[in-house]
Amino acid sequence: MEGCPRNRETCPKLLDLIPQERKWYHDEGKNNTDQEKKLELRLAPPGGDEEDGSVMKKKNTKKEAEDKTIFNLSGNHFSPSNKTNYAPHHISQKRTAPGPVVGWPPVRSFRKNLASSSSSKLGNDQINKSGDGEKQAEPKREGMFVKINMDSVPIGRKVDLSAYGSYEQLSFAVDKLFRGLLAAQRDASGGEGEGKPIIGLLDGKGEFTLTYEDNEGDKMLVGDVPWQMFVSSVKRLRVIKSSEISSALRFGCSKEDKMRN
Amino acid sequence: MNYFPDEVIEHIFDFISSHKDRNSISLVSKSWHKIERCSRKSVFIGNCYAINPERLIQRFPSLRSLTLKGKPHFADFNLVPHEWGGFVHPWIVALAKARVELEELRLKRMVVSDESLELLSRSFASFKSLVLVSCEGFTTDGLASVAANCRHLRELDLQENEIDDHRGQWLNCFPESSTALTSLNFSCLKGETNLAALERLVARSPNLESLKVNRAVPLDALTRLMSCAPQLVDLGVGSYENEPDQESFMKLMAAIKKCTELRSLSGFSEVAPLCLTAFYPICQNLTSLNLSYAAEIQGNHLIRFIQFCKRLQRLWILDSIGDKGLEVVASTCKELQELRVFPSDLHDEEDNDTAVTEIGLVAISAGCPKLHSILYFCKQMTNAALITVAKNCPNFIRFRLCILEPNKPDHTTSQSLDEGFGAIVQACKGLRRLSLSGLLTDKVFLYIGMYAEQLEMLSIAFAGDTDKGMLYVLNGCKKMRKLEIRDSPFGNTALLADVDKYRTMRSLWMSSCEVTLGGCKRLARNAPWLNVEIINENENNDLMMERNEEDEREKVDRLYLYRTVVGARKDAPPCVTIL
């Protein structure tokens, strides 16, 4: 298999791309480049232009085809029909689905904890604004909104913890919030309506488990402490796959890490 | 010059403080080498494993001030296991044993224990200054020893360390006779603070110029602190969730008005907008402002504050300021030299239309002629914007751009960002540090190799197509010192092409790339002056040895190599193999 077809109409299928050059979109890019040249500084490399570049690229691709097979597989989302789809390009064979990447974005965990600890405050501001705008004499927690995310669901939500009085009620609410979203993510065949109920969040028996991050940045399982204590220390929630409990709790400032230090 | 007696030459050398210059002096001749090394007071060691303490002390017997760096930069992002290394203890032991009259110790990314701090505090009678940045492994007990035993302590500066807060009384441990403090920063402590002890300490430290408290110092305590320290130049405040009442607010403002020397403000891990307004009286004096921990302040409050800060030279802020906010910065802060815009919305996928884009970056470049350092997190970028930025600001020394989504192309043309970054390196002839992001091919590295002649540090993530990319950089950037690469398709060919290049570099980091164990072994064989470390968190040494033969082709998860004059270190944990 030589280079990719330059013809825009014949958009290569994913499988056809093995072991072709990874960035075939460059070819369409070339059409834009001429127009862009007026805006560009002259940055021509010595002894040649972009043509050299692409020729070299093709040669290299052949040589390094066997090394690149795996990340070529992860594909090429820059087909013309998908111009707006900016799915991340996965180079390492370890990652096969879009999702959080270790150590990315490059922000110190010190900052990550601060950012997440403010999320409930954000909810409070929004609620207080809807009032008269005068200063609040009573405590700020009119509603206790915390962010909640779920593995494999890109859209996060917020829950108002002051609306619940027990872990059961919270668990039920999580099911209501995410059942539909999860089904949509998994591309349910459509015949099942809203998808399967999300159960077993608190006992480790379900497919998913509910965890939380407290005000010290520690990640814990939901349900271990009295409800009120939980409400006063929780900063954000996360629904994780039960199979990943041990790694999820280890990652970031878990209590074990702190004790080791 | 050699007709002068040594003392005169030494006196002349005293005027030269830069490490680079002093290193150059020591290469001129044997006599200069000797005079230089015997008179050298301050030594900087960028990699604590490049040399050992014994040799250091032997060469520089008059050592007073030591700076040490441990873990590689990517340790900040959880890419280096906790137990990797960077222990300061052997250094303190050796310095103590040799009776070095140590006065100053600055550590970055090192493991410090309470034992080390205790030994430090007891071994150096004239110890004056301790600065710990991004370190870990110690508790407030260690701080208590330093407070109690270092009679002449002037500076205790703790920046973003992981400290186990035993909620003890370490502040009480400063003796009543301790009045020499000029700088105290404990902003990273997470626990309660003994306010009475703190107030007494500040009250008896008339030379205190820099005070940065932690979140547990409430508003009324802050007011009292500022009232007894109106000479403060640098202030870091705590966390103020709740709006103050009228009386507290007036008192705070009155105290702030008296701090006419205040030039630098930070802290604010939470701050109600009204609290922020109490600082308006001193805004116009500020040269440095760090509001990057205040995750929930909305853009409009930030903007209102910054409008008064006409003399700002350094600004660290969150992207909640928005493009509009950056336009205000651009029109207000004409003295701005350094800008850092951090992401506020790390977990949410919701569309945040108040975050910053290329528009804000261009506005800043157009409005701030003195800008030389930037760290910018954003969700999107274009080549056109980067080209404009390059034209507006040819004076960049540090240019670090982080587009949050890996491999994201120019959002208006869908092209890679090669041309944009290419424009930056071509225009900014003095560029020393560069961090890349977004969709990038080998071409950007061609540009970097061609134009970035002063580049010393380069950070690469999810970029490039082939080994040629890395080769362009290694061949072109003569001044490269630190190269760190993750998730990019560079392999053995690039790694092994010019082994001697690593003599002139401090270190190379490659993770989730294409280098194999075989390649690393070959490098280690050909470059005995390097420590070639393989970090495999999920395996231990024994397992690796067993699979020796057939796994030459196995890709190496994390590779960290660095030049050293003392060979393989002995304190490596099981997950690290030194080839």
Side-chain angles (χ1 to χ4, degrees):
Chain A
M1 294 191 230
E2 280 288 332
C4 300
R6 299 194 174 222
N7 189 347
R8 275 192 201 219
E9 271 70 60
T10 56
C11 174
K13 301 274 185 299
L14 201 64
L15 290 173
D16 292 346
L17 293 173
I18 309 163
Q20 284 169 353
E21 63 180 313
R22 193 151 59 87
K23 304 251 166 81
W24 64 272
Y25 74 89
H26 258 303
D27 301 328
E28 12 168 303
K30 271 183 188 291
N31 299 333
N32 294 337
T33 316
D34 295 323
Q35 293 149 355
E36 297 282 298
K37 268 208 163 76
K38 286 174 202 150
L39 294 174
E40 283 176 31
L41 300 177
R42 289 301 280 140
L43 291 170
D49 205 351
E50 287 156 327
E51 281 170 11
D52 252 359
S54 64
V55 165
M56 282 196 312
K57 221 194 303 284
K58 282 188 183 162
K59 282 197 196 147
N60 287 331
T61 311
K62 277 199 206 158
K63 263 191 266 177
E64 281 151 298
E66 69 257 34
D67 284 346
K68 289 160 66 79
T69 348
I70 293 164
F71 55 86
N72 275 334
L73 248 183
S74 63
N76 196 317
H77 302 188
F78 298 106
S79 58
S81 52
N82 285 355
K83 249 210 161 86
T84 51
N85 175 12
Y86 298 126
H89 228 295
H90 301 290
I91 297 159
S92 159
Q93 63 266 41
K94 295 187 184 88
R95 277 176 282 108
T96 52
V101 175
V102 173
W104 191 267
V107 174
R108 305 209 41 235
S109 30
F110 199 89
R111 283 191 182 280
K112 277 187 174 149
N113 286 340
L114 290 169
S116 65
S117 74
S118 75
S119 56
S120 52
K121 188 75 176 57
L122 200 65
N124 290 338
D125 271 343
Q126 286 166 355
I127 297 161
N128 289 335
K129 262 203 222 152
S130 59
D132 301 349
E134 52 189 273
K135 279 200 238 161
Q136 302 275 341
E138 57 212 334
K140 280 228 146 188
R141 313 254 136 167
E142 274 195 336
M144 246 227 77
F145 280 79
V146 293
K147 283 192 185 171
I148 175 166
N149 287 77
M150 182 164 186
D151 276 354
S152 75
V153 175
I155 299 170
R157 283 272 182 272
K158 286 202 179 106
V159 281
D160 179 0
L161 289 178
S162 62
Y164 313 112
S166 71
Y167 288 118
E168 268 90 11
Q169 288 177 10
L170 175 62
S171 174
F172 187 69
V174 171
D175 172 39
K176 267 193 358 199
L177 269 179
F178 283 108
R179 197 194 291 191
L181 286 174
L182 187 64
Q185 278 302 111
R186 289 177 160 178
D187 217 7
S189 48
E192 291 162 35
E194 277 226 287
K196 301 190 304 185
I198 303 171
I199 50 164
L201 284 169
L202 302 170
D203 54 17
K205 296 205 181 107
E207 191 192 342
F208 292 98
T209 296
L210 188 56
T211 68
Y212 74 101
E213 205 177 305
D214 71 7
N215 49 16
E216 292 188 344
D218 297 327
K219 296 197 164 106
M220 329 241 265
L221 291 172
V222 164
D224 286 341
V225 301
W227 172 255
Q228 275 311 320
M229 202 188 290
F230 162 71
V231 166
S232 65
S233 64
V234 63
K235 286 298 175 196
R236 63 180 300 127
L237 294 160
R238 186 163 194 100
V239 182
I240 61 170
K241 293 224 175 74
S242 299
S243 53
E244 303 204 313
I245 289 178
S246 56
S247 59
L249 294 185
R250 217 170 7 102
F251 198 76
C253 309
S254 73
K255 282 215 150 41
E256 281 121 333
D257 281 354
K258 282 198 170 160
M259 294 209 279
R260 256 195 278 139
N261 285 339
Chain B
M1 269 289 261
N2 280 335
Y3 303 123
F4 291 122
D6 286 0
E7 297 78 42
V8 175
I9 300 182
E10 189 181 314
H11 184 67
I12 298 173
F13 286 178
D14 270 348
F15 291 101
I16 302 178
S17 49
S18 130
H19 296 291
K20 279 192 182 147
D21 289 343
R22 291 211 70 140
N23 290 344
S24 304
I25 289 178
S26 66
L27 296 173
V28 166
S29 70
K30 274 200 182 142
S31 75
W32 276 35
H33 182 92
K34 179 156 181 247
I35 299 170
E36 196 283 318
R37 76 174 186 86
C38 290
S39 64
R40 178 99 82 128
K41 302 271 190 309
S42 163
V43 176
F44 168 86
I45 296 178
N47 174 4
C48 64
Y49 290 120
I51 188 162
N52 64 29
E54 287 76 23
R55 283 181 66 159
L56 173 74
I57 297 165
Q58 209 177 26
R59 181 166 168 194
F60 300 113
S62 305
L63 188 62
R64 297 279 176 276
S65 162
L66 179 62
T67 304
L68 281 172
K69 290 190 180 179
K71 294 185 183 163
H73 176 230
F74 277 176
D76 284 353
F77 317 127
N78 295 333
L79 288 176
V80 177
H82 269 290
E83 65 273 23
W84 176 84
F87 306 103
V88 76
H89 198 71
W91 291 85
I92 298 181
V93 167
L95 290 163
K97 206 162 152 195
R99 301 200 201 288
V100 170
E101 289 169 31
L102 194 68
E103 292 177 11
E104 205 176 85
L105 186 62
R106 307 169 109 80
L107 305 176
K108 187 166 187 180
R109 281 187 218 105
M110 294 203 67
V111 177
V112 180
S113 64
D114 286 345
E115 205 195 333
S116 307
L117 291 174
E118 163 97 34
L119 182 60
L120 172 80
S121 71
R122 294 197 185 282
S123 308
F124 308 111
S126 357
F127 193 76
K128 295 192 176 75
S129 166
L130 182 64
V131 180
L132 302 178
V133 180
S134 304
C135 296
E136 56 178 351
F138 59 107
T139 77
T140 43
D141 295 347
L143 298 179
S145 329
V146 172
N149 302 328
C150 298
R151 293 294 161 90
H152 301 280
L153 192 71
R154 290 203 202 136
E155 180 177 20
L156 180 60
D157 187 358
L158 308 168
Q159 299 175 30
E160 298 194 350
N161 302 290
E162 280 291 325
I163 306 175
D164 223 347
D165 196 333
H166 287 173
R167 292 160 176 83
Q169 299 299 324
W170 71 279
L171 277 170
N172 261 336
C173 294
F174 282 99
E176 289 304 313
S177 53
S178 148
T179 57
L181 269 184
T182 60
S183 166
L184 178 63
N185 173 6
F186 59 95
S187 51
C188 56
L189 283 179
K190 295 178 195 154
E192 301 299 316
T193 295
N194 183 332
L195 297 172
L198 176 61
E199 287 171 40
R200 283 197 307 272
L201 180 61
V202 169
R204 66 175 186 274
S205 305
N207 299 319
L208 193 67
E209 288 187 345
S210 171
L211 176 65
K212 293 180 182 167
V213 303
N214 72 342
R215 27 182 327 138
V217 175
L219 212 60
D220 52 342
L222 179 70
T223 306
R224 287 194 297 273
L225 287 168
M226 293 182 79
S227 301
C228 60
Q231 76 281 4
L232 283 175
V233 172
D234 180 11
L235 176 66
V237 308
S239 156
Y240 309 112
E241 268 189 312
N242 299 320
E243 304 276 352
D245 57 65
Q246 182 79 344
E247 198 192 333
S248 308
F249 179 80
M250 298 309 289
K251 280 191 184 161
L252 176 64
M253 206 175 208
I256 289 170
K257 275 195 186 141
K258 295 220 183 86
C259 294
T260 54
E261 306 302 308
L262 205 54
R263 296 289 173 271
S264 169
L265 197 55
S266 61
F268 294 110
S269 38
E270 274 160 41
V271 53
L274 191 61
C275 278
L276 201 53
T277 65
F279 289 89
Y280 281 1
I282 47 98
C283 276
Q284 75 253 30
N285 299 334
L286 289 180
T287 56
S288 169
L289 177 62
N290 182 353
L291 284 173
S292 65
Y293 302 114
E296 85 304 339
I297 296 190
Q298 287 168 334
N300 53 340
H301 296 299
L302 292 174
I303 293 172
R304 246 178 264 146
F305 192 83
I306 288 173
Q307 268 173 343
F308 295 110
C309 303
K310 298 199 190 314
R311 296 218 190 113
L312 225 48
Q313 293 170 17
R314 190 161 80 143
L315 176 62
W316 290 24
I317 201 110
L318 286 171
D319 64 2
S320 41
I321 194 175
D323 286 333
K324 288 278 173 287
L326 288 178
E327 282 163 15
V328 172
V329 173
S331 60
T332 309
C333 308
K334 294 302 183 187
E335 302 295 313
L336 197 66
Q337 296 174 22
E338 178 189 333
L339 174 67
R340 295 195 190 193
V341 181
F342 293 96
S344 56
D345 197 13
L346 281 171
H347 304 279
D348 230 345
E349 302 296 335
E350 294 164 27
D351 251 331
N352 188 354
D353 53 354
T354 61
V356 299
T357 69
E358 70 274 15
I359 295 171
L361 184 62
V362 170
I364 290 284
S365 73
C368 305
K370 300 192 182 177
L371 192 66
H372 59 61
S373 293
I374 189 158
L375 169 61
Y376 198 80
F377 284 83
C378 59
K379 293 191 172 151
Q380 61 188 46
M381 187 50 56
T382 67
N383 283 312
L386 286 173
I387 291 168
T388 308
V389 168
K391 283 201 193 110
N392 291 339
C393 278
N395 298 324
F396 274 124
I397 301 175
R398 291 171 206 98
F399 188 85
R400 297 161 67 188
L401 179 66
C402 181
I403 301 163
L404 290 170
E405 193 186 309
N407 289 297
K408 187 156 185 182
D410 177 326
H411 72 94
T412 57
T413 65
S414 299
Q415 290 185 308
S416 72
L417 290 170
D418 298 338
E419 299 306 313
F421 279 104
I424 295 283
V425 292
Q426 200 198 22
C428 304
K429 307 221 185 292
L431 194 69
R432 296 208 298 256
R433 182 167 178 183
L434 177 65
S435 300
L436 305 170
S437 58
L439 184 65
L440 295 165
T441 73
D442 283 347
K443 202 172 199 191
V444 73
F445 300 111
L446 177 63
Y447 293 145
I448 292 173
M450 274 173 67
Y451 295 110
E453 286 173 16
Q454 302 300 320
L455 196 64
E456 295 176 2
M457 182 167 177
L458 178 61
S459 308
I460 302 170
F462 307 100
D465 303 315
T466 73
D467 280 14
K468 280 211 160 0
M470 187 169 160
L471 283 169
Y472 291 140
V473 171
L474 290 175
N475 294 335
C477 299
K478 299 295 176 212
K479 299 219 174 160
M480 184 61 63
R481 288 191 301 114
K482 287 185 281 188
L483 182 56
E484 45 185 29
I485 307 172
R486 62 167 292 178
D487 294 278
S488 301
F490 306 136
N492 296 338
T493 309
L495 182 70
L496 295 164
D498 177 12
V499 158
D500 280 326
K501 176 69 179 174
Y502 304 126
R503 286 188 195 272
T504 60
M505 284 171 57
R506 185 193 294 175
S507 64
L508 168 67
W509 169 280
M510 293 180 77
S511 57
S512 303
C513 296
E514 301 293 312
V515 291
T516 69
L517 185 57
C520 294
K521 284 185 173 174
R522 192 136 49 101
L523 175 62
R525 273 198 300 275
N526 294 342
W529 64 86
L530 290 179
N531 276 352
V532 178
E533 297 195 3
I534 310 291
I535 302 170
N536 263 325
E537 209 151 5
N538 299 322
E539 301 181 17
N540 56 37
N541 259 353
D542 300 333
L543 218 61
M544 278 204 72
M545 288 304 125
E546 272 173 37
R547 300 159 49 198
N548 209 355
E549 292 316 314
E550 58 269 20
D551 283 301
E552 298 278 306
R553 308 197 64 174
E554 168 142 328
K555 294 222 173 77
V556 162
D557 195 29
R558 282 167 282 185
L559 160 68
Y560 180 51
L561 63 86
Y562 51 89
R563 63 182 177 190
T564 176
V565 295
V566 290
R569 59 188 176 107
K570 312 242 177 352
D571 60 4
C575 61
V576 173
T577 314
I578 306 180
L579 298 176

